Structure formats: structure tokens, C-alpha cells
Amino acid sequence: MRPELSAQRTHRRWVAVVPWLLALLAPQPSASIQIALLALGVAFLGLPHGALDHRVARPLLANRWGSGWLPLFLVAYLAVAALVLAAWWWIPALTLVGFLLLSIVHFGADAAGDTGGSLHSMALHGGLPVVFPCAFHSQEVAALFGALVPGARWAEEVARIGWIGAVLWCLLFAVAALRREQPLGDLWMLAGLALMFWRLPPLLAFAVYFCGVHSIHHLLEVVREEAPAGEEGLNWLLREALPLTTLTLLLVVSVAPAVSADSTLTEGTVRMIFWVLAALTVPHMGLLWVWNRARRQGLADSVRTDRKASFSGSSVPSQSR
């Protein structure tokens, strides 16, 4: 078995067991510890999982734009991210709602399978990280939303929407179990994640899910599809993800004073983390949508061939998409 496939299977077993253990055994750390854990997880796993987007973009752009594909990609990617940051600044409430909806779509599509997952499956996987914290930890989530949108009062809205969403999620889960629409292993995993989001504080549960489940899943998938044959996957991953991850961290440090102005250290850090995540999630989602659209149109084999050729240093074929 290829090392990448073995790593993916190991990670899936991890996701099936660890959330149960955390829900039953993990302590309730302070808010500062939760923020520190989330910041470290985002720096070492969250940002790198998006720092490989240039490798996904290359075979989609190089045939049409030649050697100019990379500047084009970087300018477009950063422009979209800058627009999201501007939206946070000028229309924060609307941006927060949009970010939550996009998160549901993104998490659901990634976990359920971008090309084969049903809407039912996407709702189960994507809705869980959003609605359960809102339902069971409405005060804490309202405080987090208040840090993202200064001056807003969210407690009643968060609790009301969260409970409606949680009830709908439980109904969807029951239907999936009764109709056997999901494999037993997926149902077990979803139940463990649901218990974790119910029991753990929202920031800690989100850190585990976003960094330990979503980001690692994506990193392993990219390594499996993109790393050249014969090269150790971790070495390739570090080499490819480190430059853009480092650049992103430097940009975050440079804009942090402006983003966190007139706020406490805790509020400023939370705002910085989630503003940056939203800014990077939008172009990341758009790129994955384009790639999966190419796959659905039957271009996966040619795109994958282009990727392998580009990694090995050979020229990129000239046929257009």
C-alpha cells in the first residue's frame, strides 16, 4: 500500500476515535489556552492546507497562460482575500453570515466528497461544526461573534438559530441511519464529532475539527494526488507549503495591529484568526470548485497528467481546457 493511502486510513481511524475520547475525557481549558491552541493549529496545519493551492492551480492555468500563470494566480488570489478583509471592515455582520454559510458548504463538500456526496451528506458534515456550538454554547459563541462584529449583540439569535439547526441536524442524522444512506463508519464518526461539539468549548472543538480533521484530510489528499512518485510525502509537503505559509504569517503579523485595534488581546486575537481564515477560505473554495468542475467534466486524467509533468520538470502539454 502507498504511504499516502496508509496515512489517510490512519487519519480516518483517528477521526473515528479521538473526538469520542476528547468529549469524554478532555478538560475545560480557559479561553486564553483555547485561543493559543487554535492559533498554533492554524499556523501549523490550517494555513499549510491552503498554501498548496498554487499546485492545484498550476495545471488549470499553465496551458492557457504559460509561464505567467503564477503571477496571475497570486494577484487574483490575494485580490479576493483583500476584498474579504475589506468586507469584514465595512460590512462585518453580513460578512460573518456569509462566512458561516460558506463554511457549511466547504466542510460539507470536503468531508462528503466534492464529486460524489449527496446534499444530505453535505448538510450532515458541514452543518455540524456550525449549529452544534450555537445550540449548546450560545453564550460563548455570541461572545466570539461579538469579537468579530464589535458592538453587535448575538446571544438570542445564536441560541434560536442554533437550536433550530441542531434539531434539523438530528433529524437528518436519524433519516440517514434509518435509510442506511451513510456507511456505519461515517455515522460513528459523525456521532463522535457531535458529542465533541456538544461537550467541548466552541474554540477548542473548532480547533480540533478545523485543524485535526479538515486540514489534515485535505493535506493528505493533496499529497496523495500531487506528490511525485518516489518522493517522501512529508518532505514534498514541507517544501511546497512552507513558502506561502511563511508569507501569510508575515502578512498576518503586519496587519494585526490594525485589525485588533480598540479591543482586548483576546478579542483581537480571535478577530485576527477568523478574519484571516475567511479571507483565505473564499479563494480556496473558488479554486477547489474550479478543479472539481474540471473533474466532473471528465478532465481529471489530463489535469493529473499535467500536474505530474509539471512536478517532474517536463513541459506542460499545450491542449486547452
Side-chain angles (χ1 to χ4, degrees):
M1 180 186 299
R2 293 177 56 189
E4 295 87 352
L5 292 175
S6 177
Q8 286 181 304
R9 291 190 178 184
T10 299
H11 178 249
R12 189 167 184 82
R13 295 190 188 101
W14 182 93
V15 174
V17 174
V18 172
W20 286 90
L21 296 177
L22 290 175
L24 297 173
L25 303 175
Q28 302 287 317
S30 65
S32 59
I33 293 178
Q34 293 179 57
I35 293 172
L37 291 174
L38 176 59
L40 289 173
V42 168
F44 288 99
L45 290 171
L47 293 182
H49 107 276
L52 295 173
D53 282 352
H54 63 296
R55 282 304 188 182
V56 178
R58 178 170 183 168
L60 299 172
L61 298 176
N63 283 338
R64 177 172 296 182
W65 300 99
S67 59
W69 75 270
L70 184 57
L72 175 67
F73 165 74
L74 291 176
V75 168
Y77 203 95
L78 293 175
V80 173
L83 286 175
V84 176
L85 288 176
W88 275 119
W89 192 268
W90 295 107
I91 47 173
L94 184 60
T95 305
L96 174 60
V97 174
F99 175 53
L100 293 175
L101 294 176
L102 285 177
S103 298
I104 291 174
V105 173
H106 184 48
F107 290 149
D110 178 73
D114 288 301
T115 57
S118 66
L119 289 177
H120 191 165
S121 179
M122 290 176 61
L124 280 172
H125 287 277
L128 178 60
V130 175
V131 300
F132 263 51
C134 291
F136 297 107
H137 305 278
S138 58
Q139 294 296 327
E140 295 94 325
V141 173
L144 294 175
F145 288 176
L148 298 174
V149 186
R153 298 294 181 264
W154 296 90
E156 292 184 2
E157 292 81 359
V158 166
R160 185 182 306 114
I161 295 173
W163 277 110
I164 294 173
V167 170
L168 291 176
W169 188 92
C170 291
L171 290 174
L172 288 176
F173 183 87
V175 170
L178 291 173
R179 293 183 177 179
R180 300 182 180 179
E181 295 177 353
Q182 300 280 323
L184 183 60
D186 283 356
L187 293 175
W188 172 265
M189 177 190 68
L190 284 167
L193 290 171
L195 183 63
M196 182 186 74
F197 278 108
W198 170 43
R199 292 280 297 156
L200 295 187
L203 278 179
L204 180 58
F206 178 78
V208 173
Y209 182 82
F210 176 69
C211 302
V213 179
H214 174 75
S215 296
I216 292 179
H217 167 79
H218 182 79
L219 286 169
L220 293 175
E221 184 69 15
V222 172
V223 169
R224 182 178 66 84
E225 291 196 4
E226 313 296 345
E231 183 171 357
E232 204 278 322
L234 181 59
N235 291 337
W236 178 85
L237 177 63
L238 291 173
R239 186 181 73 247
E240 296 298 332
L242 187 59
L244 288 182
T245 299
T246 303
L247 177 61
T248 303
L249 288 173
L250 292 175
L251 289 174
V252 168
V253 172
S254 67
V255 302
V259 171
S260 58
D262 301 325
S263 63
T264 66
L265 178 61
T266 297
E267 290 179 343
T269 304
V270 168
R271 190 182 306 163
M272 189 72 254
I273 291 173
F274 284 98
W275 280 27
V276 169
L277 286 181
L280 298 177
T281 293
V282 174
H284 176 68
M285 281 187 62
L287 178 62
L288 292 182
W289 181 84
V290 172
W291 165 235
N292 284 301
R293 185 168 178 266
R295 294 171 66 185
R296 287 193 295 271
Q297 291 177 346
L299 300 177
D301 291 339
S302 62
V303 171
R304 188 173 292 110
T305 299
D306 288 356
R307 287 177 174 177
K308 295 298 183 180
S310 67
F311 293 146
S312 63
S314 58
S315 60
V316 179
S318 60
Q319 68 268 23
S320 61
R321 295 288 188 279

